[in-house]
Amino acid sequence: MPRATLSEGSVEFRVVGGEPGPGSLVFLHEGLGCAATWSRLPERVARATGRTAVVYSRLGYGGSEPLRVPRSADYLHEEAHRALPEFAAGLGIERPVLVGHSDGASIALLHAARYPVAGLVAMAPHVFVEPETVEGVSSAVSAFDEGRLARKLALYHDDPEGVFRSWSGVWLSPGFRDWNIEEELSDVDCPVLLVQGEHDRYGTAAQLRAIEAGARGPVHRVEVPDCGHAPHLEHPDTTAEEVNAFVSGLEKQPGV
């Protein structure tokens, strides 16, 4: 994969469907994900909508450079307000359509609250910490320590141990229990598509209700039956259809 150089290090990325530019799709992975864990969703959305899709691994993930300092409790804000704008500017991307999953959905919401965005897909988003989230992360720690999750992450990341410990360490830290971005949702004025599995073990529909109540742009909500935390992997056809319909309904930028 090509690499983009940011102030904190270089990140791997891939481009689908043409040259990046105004109105491109930018995919933001989950807290244990990377560019590769999106599977075929970027290709499917790019092909169906005619927009270029850009998928990258944040610092510390996949084959991107390691983090130079430990991840802080403000890491989602730092990604949304510093790393993502720098990455987008380097590729000439303005007013993107953001597609985020879990941590990536939170980053997308925070970015859209401060920067111009054409549209936003938030899958399994987090806007505050729920007991279900803490329980889900705690279960993941057990799965990692037992080796099952560690082996899976090793397929995608140069440093699976670092990926997991930096993510779980923040989410399980006492100081992170009060993390909440509901007040910032009032600055999100773009169209929003919410997608969540009905059996998501990391969060409940309360997350969706908070976004519906807080965001100023139009919000469409989809809850996927018989689905957990990753709709794009567990129900790829349903998820692709919903995302394609939403993105196709957005007003395109000139030349896109």
Side-chain angles (χ1 to χ4, degrees), residues 7-78:
S7 58
E8 299 297 324
S10 69
V11 297
E12 63 178 8
F13 72 97
R14 60 188 175 96
V15 178
V16 181
E19 293 296 320
S24 290
L25 296 147
V26 178
F27 285 76
L28 304 166
H29 61 77
E30 62 164 312
L32 296 179
C34 63
T37 58
W38 280 108
S39 188
R40 304 303 297 174
L41 184 64
E43 285 80 2
R44 295 182 70 169
V45 180
R47 184 171 61 249
T49 65
R51 291 179 185 258
T52 298
V54 181
V55 191
Y56 75 102
S57 300
R58 298 190 295 274
L59 285 169
Y61 291 96
S64 293
E65 281 193 38
L67 292 168
R68 295 176 180 173
V69 296
R71 187 163 282 126
S72 74
D74 292 325
Y75 78 100
L76 296 169
H77 285 78
E78 292 168 359

